Amino acid sequence: FYLNKTFSDLSSDLLVNKVRANMDEARFRHCQGVSITARKLAKLNNYDEDKAALAGFIHDYAKQVANDEFIRVIKDPKNNFNQDLLNWNRAIWHGIVGTYFIKRDLSITDSEILTAIKRHTTGDVEMTTLDKIVFVADYIEPGRSFSGVDEAREVTFSNLDAGVGYELAHTLQFLANNRQKIYPKTLAAYNVWGIKKE
Ligand code: GDP
Ligand code: FE
Ligand code: FE
Ligand code: FE
């Protein structure tokens, strides 16, 4: 893994070690898989490969932060988080609130990277190329093995937007099947990227 100096003051080794120390081995391997997939998708879609690889690598940095820590950060007025986040859970928090820990611990200030991480779980109505790359790389990295993942890979590697739509449609289906609450941004994103285009 090569860290382009423009994105953090930390050395590449230190950044990798900090990410490794913040999660278990399986989650770290997932981050490596997302990084590799994000790099491939960046190349295919004419995006900065190093930047995509870094964003993919750190996207789940806060995945295993404790609930009370997330709640403390959301409630701290200095951080300006929407207090509605308290009605959700760590599935939603680790990306949106994760940006706080990524700024604090990894010295990342690039707004495109931080936005892509913020949006990586739910998607959004507006998505940049990097947002899309991290969103779908998370879903199709080589370690993923749910039924339909091969189709998701084919769709995504043939067209990035179609990959975003595929993931949103299938995530919504999965959440409804399990009678889980849909985060409004997930639904709004589906209505933009998930529906059939005429
Ligand atoms: P991961 O961090 O690599 O496991 O993947 P994600 O960050 O994409 O997703 C984390 C979890 O959030 C998954 O279990 C998703 O199904 C779940 N998730 C995504 N969108 C929503 C939503 O709108 N509502 C709820 N309740 N969960 C969601
Ligand atoms: Fe995640
Ligand atoms: Fe995802
Ligand atoms: Fe992930």
Side-chain angles (χ1 to χ4, degrees), residues 174-188:
F174 169 84
L175 292 168
N177 278 341
N178 290 287
R179 297 292 182 95
Q180 294 201 54
K181 191 160 72 162
I182 311 283
Y183 193 67
K185 277 213 167 128
T186 311
L187 183 58

Side-chain angles (χ1 to χ4, degrees), residues 58 61 98-108 114 117:
I58 64 178
Y61 177 72
T99 56
Y100 167 90
F101 297 95
I102 287 166
K103 281 188 265 190
R104 186 191 71 180
D105 300 347
L106 304 180
S107 179
I108 302 280
L114 294 169
I117 291 164

Side-chain angles (χ1 to χ4, degrees), residues 61-90:
Y61 177 72
K63 183 77 180 181
Q64 291 169 341
V65 165
N67 277 335
D68 55 349
E69 181 80 350
F70 278 126
I71 291 167
R72 186 186 65 72
V73 171
I74 294 166
K75 284 185 172 167
D76 187 338
K78 283 200 290 293
N79 301 325
N80 280 314
F81 281 112
N82 187 334
Q83 297 302 296
D84 173 63
L85 283 166
L86 295 170
N87 300 315
W88 297 84
N89 63 21
R90 51 187 305 103

